[in-house]
Amino acid sequence: MQNREKAKMREQKILFTLDKLGCLKRSQLQMILGISDVRMMNRILYRMRKYLNHVYLGEYAYYLNKKGREAVGSDREFRKNSQIEHHLMRNDVYIFYHYPKDWRVECPVTWKENGKEYSIISDARFTYHDMTYFVEVDVQQKMVKNRSKIKKYASLFRVMQKQGVGEPILLWYTVSPERKAKLEEWCKEYDVPHEVLCKYTG
């Protein structure tokens, strides 16, 4: 394949990936594309600048502008706001778990237990090694709300297990060892199968 065709295919992958995931840091795009050279990645993104907006958060993060959305036929506009770190961390999970094909974001689920109806919206959901993962990204959420979510997931998982609907896992991705420890403590308290990842360890 000629270099020009390769470059075009790479650009298409970047555009469609940004449309799917909303916003990605330069380093996240490098991992997805398998490009180890930072300068090469920066050159690619510079050549694509007519399709992209960016914001600096320790490194540049990119999202589609109007021309970029038109190029992939998308009507999903990513809005830069206080939730951008939340989006980027959610995409860390997508990359860490090897780009799940059934990755879905903002997933609502409703269920009944003991005659009472419940609902929750997960930040993302996917399957991995035959397990159903419910993703919760914890950036600045009040911990009392996180505890309430864990109690809800305990109810949901009980219902799923009774119905034999897969093996559920609650996956938290948080920002400090202290928050990680507390989330793990509550998951154990409510008997919720879980994994807790931490963005910063120091």
Side-chain angles (χ1 to χ4, degrees), residues 161-186:
Q161 287 163 344
K162 282 177 187 174
Q163 294 176 348
V165 186
E167 288 292 326
I169 293 278
L170 177 56
L171 173 64
W172 284 96
Y173 186 29
T174 189
V175 293
S176 74
E178 294 78 15
R179 293 175 81 91
K180 178 179 186 288
K182 186 56 72 174
L183 291 168
E184 288 175 330
E185 177 187 323
W186 288 333

Short mmCIF file of all heavy atoms in Angstrom, two decimals, residues 161-186:
data_model
loop_
_atom_site.label_atom_id
_atom_site.label_comp_id
_atom_site.label_asym_id
_atom_site.label_seq_id
_atom_site.Cartn_x
_atom_site.Cartn_y
_atom_site.Cartn_z
N GLN A 161 -27.65 -12.17 38.79
CA GLN A 161 -27.17 -13.50 39.15
C GLN A 161 -28.31 -14.50 39.32
O GLN A 161 -28.20 -15.65 38.92
CB GLN A 161 -26.31 -13.40 40.42
CG GLN A 161 -24.95 -12.76 40.14
CD GLN A 161 -24.25 -12.26 41.40
OE1 GLN A 161 -24.87 -12.11 42.45
NE2 GLN A 161 -22.96 -11.98 41.28
N LYS A 162 -29.45 -14.02 39.88
CA LYS A 162 -30.62 -14.88 40.00
C LYS A 162 -31.16 -15.29 38.64
O LYS A 162 -31.62 -16.41 38.43
CB LYS A 162 -31.72 -14.18 40.80
CG LYS A 162 -31.50 -14.16 42.29
CD LYS A 162 -32.61 -13.38 42.98
CE LYS A 162 -32.31 -13.22 44.47
NZ LYS A 162 -33.32 -12.34 45.12
N GLN A 163 -31.09 -14.34 37.69
CA GLN A 163 -31.62 -14.59 36.34
C GLN A 163 -30.60 -15.29 35.45
O GLN A 163 -30.92 -15.67 34.32
CB GLN A 163 -32.05 -13.27 35.70
CG GLN A 163 -33.23 -12.62 36.40
CD GLN A 163 -33.57 -11.26 35.82
OE1 GLN A 163 -32.81 -10.68 35.04
NE2 GLN A 163 -34.73 -10.73 36.20
N GLY A 164 -29.36 -15.45 35.94
CA GLY A 164 -28.30 -16.08 35.16
C GLY A 164 -27.89 -15.27 33.96
O GLY A 164 -27.51 -15.80 32.91
N VAL A 165 -27.94 -13.92 34.11
CA VAL A 165 -27.59 -13.02 33.00
C VAL A 165 -26.12 -12.61 33.14
O VAL A 165 -25.79 -11.51 33.59
CB VAL A 165 -28.49 -11.76 33.00
CG1 VAL A 165 -28.21 -10.90 31.76
CG2 VAL A 165 -29.94 -12.14 33.04
N GLY A 166 -25.21 -13.49 32.74
CA GLY A 166 -23.78 -13.17 32.76
C GLY A 166 -23.23 -13.02 34.17
O GLY A 166 -23.92 -13.18 35.17
N GLU A 167 -21.95 -12.72 34.22
CA GLU A 167 -21.24 -12.48 35.48
C GLU A 167 -20.88 -11.00 35.54
O GLU A 167 -19.99 -10.53 34.82
CB GLU A 167 -19.98 -13.34 35.56
CG GLU A 167 -20.24 -14.81 35.77
CD GLU A 167 -20.82 -15.10 37.14
OE1 GLU A 167 -20.46 -14.41 38.10
OE2 GLU A 167 -21.66 -16.01 37.24
N PRO A 168 -21.56 -10.21 36.40
CA PRO A 168 -21.29 -8.77 36.43
C PRO A 168 -20.09 -8.39 37.29
O PRO A 168 -19.80 -9.03 38.30
CB PRO A 168 -22.57 -8.21 37.03
CG PRO A 168 -23.08 -9.31 37.93
CD PRO A 168 -22.65 -10.60 37.28
N ILE A 169 -19.42 -7.32 36.86
CA ILE A 169 -18.30 -6.74 37.59
C ILE A 169 -18.50 -5.23 37.62
O ILE A 169 -18.79 -4.61 36.58
CB ILE A 169 -16.94 -7.02 36.91
CG1 ILE A 169 -16.60 -8.51 36.95
CG2 ILE A 169 -15.81 -6.20 37.53
CD1 ILE A 169 -15.99 -8.98 38.23
N LEU A 170 -18.35 -4.61 38.78
CA LEU A 170 -18.37 -3.15 38.88
C LEU A 170 -16.93 -2.65 38.81
O LEU A 170 -16.11 -2.98 39.67
CB LEU A 170 -19.03 -2.71 40.19
CG LEU A 170 -19.04 -1.20 40.46
CD1 LEU A 170 -19.70 -0.43 39.32
CD2 LEU A 170 -19.74 -0.91 41.79
N LEU A 171 -16.63 -1.88 37.78
CA LEU A 171 -15.28 -1.36 37.57
C LEU A 171 -15.25 0.13 37.87
O LEU A 171 -15.89 0.93 37.17
CB LEU A 171 -14.84 -1.61 36.13
CG LEU A 171 -13.51 -0.97 35.70
CD1 LEU A 171 -12.35 -1.54 36.50
CD2 LEU A 171 -13.28 -1.16 34.21
N TRP A 172 -14.53 0.49 38.91
CA TRP A 172 -14.32 1.90 39.24
C TRP A 172 -12.97 2.35 38.71
O TRP A 172 -11.98 1.61 38.77
CB TRP A 172 -14.32 2.10 40.75
CG TRP A 172 -15.66 2.06 41.40
CD1 TRP A 172 -16.24 0.99 42.01
CD2 TRP A 172 -16.60 3.13 41.52
NE1 TRP A 172 -17.47 1.32 42.50
CE2 TRP A 172 -17.73 2.64 42.21
CE3 TRP A 172 -16.60 4.46 41.09
CZ2 TRP A 172 -18.83 3.43 42.49
CZ3 TRP A 172 -17.71 5.25 41.38
CH2 TRP A 172 -18.81 4.74 42.06
N TYR A 173 -12.93 3.59 38.22
CA TYR A 173 -11.65 4.22 37.85
C TYR A 173 -11.63 5.57 38.56
O TYR A 173 -12.43 6.46 38.27
CB TYR A 173 -11.57 4.40 36.34
CG TYR A 173 -10.24 4.92 35.83
CD1 TYR A 173 -9.05 4.66 36.49
CD2 TYR A 173 -10.18 5.66 34.65
CE1 TYR A 173 -7.84 5.12 36.01
CE2 TYR A 173 -8.98 6.12 34.15
CZ TYR A 173 -7.80 5.85 34.83
OH TYR A 173 -6.60 6.32 34.35
N THR A 174 -10.72 5.70 39.52
CA THR A 174 -10.73 6.88 40.39
C THR A 174 -9.38 7.61 40.36
O THR A 174 -8.48 7.21 39.62
CB THR A 174 -11.13 6.47 41.82
OG1 THR A 174 -11.34 7.64 42.60
CG2 THR A 174 -10.06 5.58 42.47
N VAL A 175 -9.29 8.67 41.17
CA VAL A 175 -8.15 9.59 41.02
C VAL A 175 -7.16 9.59 42.19
O VAL A 175 -6.15 10.29 42.13
CB VAL A 175 -8.65 11.04 40.80
CG1 VAL A 175 -9.35 11.16 39.46
CG2 VAL A 175 -9.57 11.49 41.92
N SER A 176 -7.42 8.83 43.25
CA SER A 176 -6.46 8.84 44.37
C SER A 176 -6.49 7.50 45.11
O SER A 176 -7.53 6.83 45.14
CB SER A 176 -6.78 9.97 45.35
OG SER A 176 -7.92 9.66 46.13
N PRO A 177 -5.38 7.13 45.73
CA PRO A 177 -5.34 5.87 46.51
C PRO A 177 -6.36 5.87 47.64
O PRO A 177 -6.92 4.81 47.97
CB PRO A 177 -3.91 5.83 47.05
CG PRO A 177 -3.11 6.69 46.12
CD PRO A 177 -4.05 7.78 45.68
N GLU A 178 -6.62 7.04 48.24
CA GLU A 178 -7.58 7.12 49.34
C GLU A 178 -9.00 6.81 48.86
O GLU A 178 -9.75 6.05 49.51
CB GLU A 178 -7.54 8.52 49.98
CG GLU A 178 -6.23 8.86 50.68
CD GLU A 178 -5.10 9.24 49.73
OE1 GLU A 178 -5.37 9.53 48.54
OE2 GLU A 178 -3.94 9.25 50.18
N ARG A 179 -9.37 7.38 47.71
CA ARG A 179 -10.70 7.10 47.16
C ARG A 179 -10.80 5.63 46.72
O ARG A 179 -11.83 4.98 46.91
CB ARG A 179 -10.99 8.06 46.00
CG ARG A 179 -11.12 9.51 46.44
CD ARG A 179 -11.30 10.46 45.26
NE ARG A 179 -12.68 10.49 44.78
CZ ARG A 179 -13.61 11.34 45.21
NH1 ARG A 179 -13.34 12.23 46.16
NH2 ARG A 179 -14.83 11.32 44.69
N LYS A 180 -9.72 5.13 46.15
CA LYS A 180 -9.68 3.72 45.73
C LYS A 180 -9.95 2.79 46.93
O LYS A 180 -10.76 1.86 46.86
CB LYS A 180 -8.32 3.40 45.11
CG LYS A 180 -8.13 1.94 44.68
CD LYS A 180 -6.75 1.75 44.05
CE LYS A 180 -6.56 0.36 43.49
NZ LYS A 180 -6.42 -0.68 44.52
N ALA A 181 -9.27 3.07 48.04
CA ALA A 181 -9.42 2.23 49.23
C ALA A 181 -10.85 2.26 49.75
O ALA A 181 -11.41 1.22 50.15
CB ALA A 181 -8.44 2.69 50.32
N LYS A 182 -11.46 3.43 49.74
CA LYS A 182 -12.83 3.55 50.25
C LYS A 182 -13.83 2.84 49.33
O LYS A 182 -14.75 2.15 49.80
CB LYS A 182 -13.19 5.04 50.38
CG LYS A 182 -14.54 5.29 51.04
CD LYS A 182 -14.66 4.65 52.41
CE LYS A 182 -13.84 5.34 53.46
NZ LYS A 182 -14.10 4.78 54.82
N LEU A 183 -13.64 2.96 48.03
CA LEU A 183 -14.53 2.28 47.07
C LEU A 183 -14.41 0.76 47.22
O LEU A 183 -15.42 0.04 47.18
CB LEU A 183 -14.19 2.71 45.64
CG LEU A 183 -14.53 4.16 45.29
CD1 LEU A 183 -13.89 4.55 43.96
CD2 LEU A 183 -16.04 4.38 45.24
N GLU A 184 -13.19 0.27 47.39
CA GLU A 184 -12.99 -1.16 47.60
C GLU A 184 -13.66 -1.62 48.89
O GLU A 184 -14.30 -2.69 48.93
CB GLU A 184 -11.49 -1.48 47.65
CG GLU A 184 -10.81 -1.39 46.29
CD GLU A 184 -9.31 -1.58 46.37
OE1 GLU A 184 -8.71 -1.22 47.41
OE2 GLU A 184 -8.73 -2.06 45.39
N GLU A 185 -13.54 -0.83 49.94
CA GLU A 185 -14.15 -1.17 51.23
C GLU A 185 -15.67 -1.31 51.09
O GLU A 185 -16.27 -2.27 51.58
CB GLU A 185 -13.81 -0.08 52.25
CG GLU A 185 -14.45 -0.27 53.61
CD GLU A 185 -14.22 0.94 54.52
OE1 GLU A 185 -13.12 1.54 54.46
OE2 GLU A 185 -15.15 1.28 55.27
N TRP A 186 -16.30 -0.35 50.40
CA TRP A 186 -17.75 -0.38 50.25
C TRP A 186 -18.21 -1.52 49.33
O TRP A 186 -19.24 -2.13 49.58
CB TRP A 186 -18.25 0.96 49.72
CG TRP A 186 -18.17 2.06 50.74
CD1 TRP A 186 -18.21 1.93 52.10
CD2 TRP A 186 -18.05 3.45 50.47
NE1 TRP A 186 -18.11 3.15 52.71
CE2 TRP A 186 -18.01 4.12 51.74
CE3 TRP A 186 -17.95 4.22 49.33
CZ2 TRP A 186 -17.89 5.50 51.86
CZ3 TRP A 186 -17.84 5.60 49.44
CH2 TRP A 186 -17.81 6.24 50.69
#
